[in-house]
Amino acid sequence: YNPQKIDAFLKADLPIGNLLANMDMTQTQNPLINFDVVIRDFKTDYFYPNPSWQNPLLSLNLNGQLKGNSIDNMSGVVTVDSLKFSGDNFNYEPGKFVLESSVEKDNRYIALKSSILDAKVDGQYQFTTLPDEFFNMLNAYLPGMFAENKRIRRYNNNLNIDLNIHNTETLGKLLDLPADIIQPVTVKANINTIDKEIKLDADIPHVRFGENNIKAGKINVSGDASELKANTAIRLIQESGDFVFNVDNAISSDTINTVFSFKNEGSDLNISGDLKADAHFEQSRAGELSSYLQFSPSNMRIGNLELSFLPARITNEKERTTISNFGFMVGRGRGFSKYFAVDGAV
């Protein structure tokens, strides 16, 4: 250590693995940081036991050069190389990961390139204030759930996000992930807290959850100063015929309006239906959240059987839940033949 520079060196041969690290940092207004880390045969089951990964070992080289005094104005390159996951029944080398950042006045970017994920954030951003600014945007839609941070006087973020997530089947086995991405997922988003605008478009061609394959997934989100809208569409692949699901949401003034529709294709038994519901949230002066879920009349058809769902309401206040007229009838209007409904409180 001296007034101009800090140097550090670490070497450790431990029961859980080997570590060698070098680091230096200048003592200036915008410090220059250099580091080089080598990890060999790190036994990850000390921290992350996974039955699918027997006697797991992790090795990697990490090196980088960064300049800046905070995450908001940091520039440089960080590289993860020679990354290797190995064990009795596993050997996975995903290749190099390169993280690069640059700061040019108000136009900044951070980019990650790898065989698993390509990601880029660019534009005008301040990560130190972004969470509070974003939650204040959500407060405009759901004030009962998201309290306004009144300390935010100026909004500073207008950033673009681009993600391309590649096939994760091997990584899913390694980390026991709940879903595998079979075909690349792309996400493009813009978060503009200055003009109170949100936009997101996601393309999900093929994802697998356990034995369930979901294809042709689309998510579209757009929001302004007063309302947030979202649409989600997916196709669930089945041997007996595919199911197509669509969800439309509109969120404003503590209310979430939802229209859920579904139908099957390629099956001898036709199934289709829709469900309309409004969820409303309120917060008392004491900070207690209450809500109600209001169902509008809706219909479902299973072959020649037609079900009509009744207008219903479920209310939650403190620890009490009240159910009113939740049920359905067979047929429509005066032509119904059977009727079932539930009223009660818990």
Side-chain angles (χ1 to χ4, degrees), residues 112 117-121 160-166 184-189 200-203:
L112 173 66
L117 170 68
D118 291 325
K120 184 177 181 181
V121 177
N160 303 302
I161 302 172
D162 285 283
L163 299 177
N164 192 349
I165 309 172
H166 306 295
V185 170
T186 59
V187 180
K188 293 184 179 295
L200 180 145
D201 295 300
D203 187 11

Side-chain angles (χ1 to χ4, degrees), residues 208-213 237-238:
R208 185 170 58 228
F209 290 85
E211 299 298 322
N212 296 313
N213 285 282
I237 308 302
Q238 303 266 290

Side-chain angles (χ1 to χ4, degrees), residues 281-297:
F281 304 90
E282 292 182 358
Q283 194 169 60
S284 68
R285 293 181 179 179
E288 296 176 334
L289 185 67
S290 62
S291 64
Y292 69 77
L293 185 62
Q294 183 83 40
F295 294 94
S296 299

Side-chain angles (χ1 to χ4, degrees), residues 64 83 87 109-110 125 132-133 147 161 219 234 253 285 324:
L83 178 60
Y109 79 86
I110 299 176
Y125 57 79
D132 288 333
E133 292 181 26
I161 302 172
I219 300 175
I234 63 170
S253 302
R285 293 181 179 179
S324 303

Side-chain angles (χ1 to χ4, degrees), residues 11-239:
K11 182 178 181 180
D13 296 319
L14 304 171
I16 62 172
N18 304 314
L19 171 67
L20 179 65
N22 289 281
M23 189 273 285
D24 63 74
M25 181 178 70
T26 60
Q27 297 277 68
T28 57
Q29 184 176 358
N30 287 302
L32 178 63
I33 305 169
N34 296 287
F35 55 89
D36 193 352
V37 180
V38 178
I39 297 174
R40 290 291 179 267
D41 298 330
F42 182 77
K43 298 177 182 179
T44 62
D45 55 355
Y46 274 71
F47 307 96
Y48 175 67
N50 185 344
S52 301
W53 191 9
Q54 298 297 319
N55 294 319
L57 298 175
L58 171 67
S59 298
L60 61 87
N61 296 341
L62 172 68
N63 62 79
Q65 184 179 74
L66 297 171
K67 185 177 182 179
N69 56 14
S70 75
I71 190 174
D72 291 329
N73 64 359
M74 193 75 69
S75 62
V77 178
V78 177
T79 303
V80 176
D81 201 358
S82 303
L83 178 60
K84 184 178 180 179
F85 302 91
S86 60
D88 291 348
N89 57 344
F90 213 92
N91 187 38
Y92 179 45
E93 298 182 44
K96 183 182 293 187
F97 289 68
V98 179
L99 179 67
E100 184 178 0
S101 64
S102 177
V103 179
E104 296 180 4
K105 295 183 180 179
D106 287 335
N107 190 21
R108 310 169 179 182
Y109 79 86
I110 299 176
L112 173 66
K113 295 182 180 180
S114 72
S115 62
I116 299 172
L117 170 68
D118 291 325
K120 184 177 181 181
V121 177
D122 66 69
Q124 180 180 342
Y125 57 79
Q126 289 188 9
F127 290 130
T128 52
T129 64
L130 178 59
D132 288 333
E133 292 181 26
F134 184 72
F135 280 116
N136 275 8
M137 290 186 67
L138 296 181
N139 168 265
Y141 313 130
L142 297 169
M145 297 185 67
F146 298 95
E148 182 182 7
N149 187 337
K150 296 183 179 180
R151 293 178 299 174
I152 301 296
R153 302 295 183 183
R154 179 183 176 187
Y155 290 81
N156 303 292
N157 286 276
N158 182 6
L159 57 99
N160 303 302
I161 302 172
D162 285 283
L163 299 177
N164 192 349
I165 309 172
H166 306 295
N167 184 283
T168 63
E169 290 179 273
T170 304
L171 187 66
K173 294 178 182 178
L174 181 70
L175 301 179
D176 197 24
L177 299 177
D180 293 322
I181 294 174
I182 310 302
Q183 294 178 258
V185 170
T186 59
V187 180
K188 293 184 179 295
N190 171 258
I191 300 175
N192 185 345
T193 64
I194 300 171
D195 296 323
K196 307 296 187 294
E197 294 176 347
I198 300 175
K199 186 173 177 60
L200 180 145
D201 295 300
D203 187 11
I204 310 169
H206 188 184
V207 176
R208 185 170 58 228
F209 290 85
E211 299 298 322
N212 296 313
N213 285 282
I214 294 175
K215 293 187 175 182
K218 301 280 187 182
I219 300 175
N220 303 106
V221 178
S222 62
D224 55 24
S226 60
E227 185 179 46
L228 183 70
K229 294 182 178 180
N231 172 261
T232 304
I234 63 170
R235 177 181 291 270
L236 177 62
I237 308 302
Q238 303 266 290
E239 290 185 4

Side-chain angles (χ1 to χ4, degrees), residues 255-296:
T255 300
I256 303 175
N257 305 114
T258 301
V259 179
F260 171 69
S261 61
F262 60 92
K263 64 179 180 178
N264 69 334
E265 296 178 351
S267 174
D268 294 334
L269 180 65
N270 293 323
I271 301 175
S272 62
D274 60 77
L275 178 66
K276 300 177 182 179
D278 299 333
H280 184 76
F281 304 90
E282 292 182 358
Q283 194 169 60
S284 68
R285 293 181 179 179
E288 296 176 334
L289 185 67
S290 62
S291 64
Y292 69 77
L293 185 62
Q294 183 83 40
F295 294 94
S296 299

